[in-house]
Amino acid sequence: MLHAADWNRIDILCVIRDAQGRPVTNVTKDRVQLLAAGEPRRILEFSRATDQPQIETITLGPNVYQDAYQAIMRKFSDPTRRKILVIEEKLSPGSLTPLPLVRRWELIFLAERRGVIIYVLSHSDRLQPLADLAEETGGSVVLSERALQAELAAQYRIVAEPPPHDPGTGAYNTLEVRAGGLRAQAPHNLYITPPWEVQP
């Protein structure tokens, strides 16, 4: 969700769940802690996300990783809206082509750089590589469009001060959200992109 006007800060979306996995929608700022590279960062804003998200959908197929990469690069044009990429399983997935570790991280880094959250819409339990990909970006596997909309309606937006870094080169750090015994579903990494890399 970072854009040119406010790139030099942490700006993420997360879903907070109870012990049964149900989204919790009444969490207050004082219950939340955000850590970058293991160190607490001061939270500047904590609120429910209410903007209309931009949702782009691709179909699970033999070129799913390439299709995801292209969608993240080309389809998300409005930096002010939540960006959601849905990978939808319409047919039996068969066997997913293994993605080399380097390419997998390239796709995760690209999604995190562009503020894109990946969701997988599927009834299958054979899509673990895609489930892991979604989890890294702050998404998950959902069973229906209704479940996806419920997830998006429960998202919080967290804006926080970034760790010290060279403003000319940006920053990459691990990221963790804690919520007082609740489970936070959030991006696992922070990627701050300098202004000269931000896309309009």
Side-chain angles (χ1 to χ4, degrees):
M1 290 181 61
L2 298 171
H3 37 91
D6 55 6
W7 68 274
N8 194 20
R9 62 183 185 172
I10 299 171
D11 190 345
I12 63 166
L13 297 165
C14 74
V15 175
I16 297 174
R17 302 182 183 279
D18 64 16
Q20 288 72 45
R22 298 170 299 201
V24 180
T25 57
N26 61 351
V27 178
T28 54
K29 178 181 175 181
D30 61 325
R31 192 170 182 179
V32 177
Q33 185 180 33
L34 186 145
L35 294 85
E39 295 294 328
R41 306 307 307 169
R42 186 166 72 95
I43 295 177
L44 305 174
E45 299 176 31
F46 179 79
S47 61
R48 293 282 299 279
T50 58
D51 62 297
Q52 183 66 32
Q54 179 184 354
I55 302 174
E56 299 291 342
T57 302
I58 62 173
T59 301
L60 179 63
N63 298 317
V64 63
Y65 297 113
Q66 180 179 346
D67 293 345
Y69 193 96
Q70 293 296 329
I72 294 170
M73 286 289 289
R74 298 178 179 178
K75 291 189 176 182
F76 294 99
S77 57
D78 187 346
T80 66
R81 296 171 64 188
R82 288 181 281 170
K83 304 176 185 69
I84 309 297
L85 176 65
V86 178
I87 301 174
E88 182 177 7
E89 176 198 348
K90 291 188 175 179
L91 301 171
S92 175
S95 297
L96 281 174
T97 302
L99 186 68
L101 188 60
V102 172
R103 295 299 307 278
R104 176 178 178 273
W105 281 109
E106 283 179 356
L107 187 54
I108 291 170
F109 290 164
L110 178 65
E112 290 171 343
R113 257 174 71 184
R114 300 296 179 92
V116 175
I117 298 175
I118 297 174
Y119 279 90
V120 180
L121 180 56
S122 171
H123 292 277
S124 173
D125 59 0
R126 295 181 290 170
L127 301 179
Q128 195 58 48
L130 289 179
D132 293 343
L133 189 71
E135 183 180 336
E136 287 279 352
T137 68
S140 66
V141 176
V142 292
L143 300 179
S144 65
E145 288 279 356
R146 182 176 180 179
L148 174 62
Q149 292 301 326
E151 284 255 332
L152 300 183
Q155 282 181 328
Y156 292 91
R157 181 179 179 223
I158 302 176
V159 178
E161 291 182 341
H165 64 279
D166 181 346
T169 58
Y172 170 78
N173 295 109
T174 58
L175 195 65
E176 181 184 1
V177 177
R178 297 176 181 172
L182 300 173
R183 183 172 68 84
Q185 173 186 313
H188 290 191
N189 303 288
L190 161 70
Y191 203 135
I192 295 177
T193 306
W196 44 265
E197 286 194 9
V198 174
Q199 301 298 313

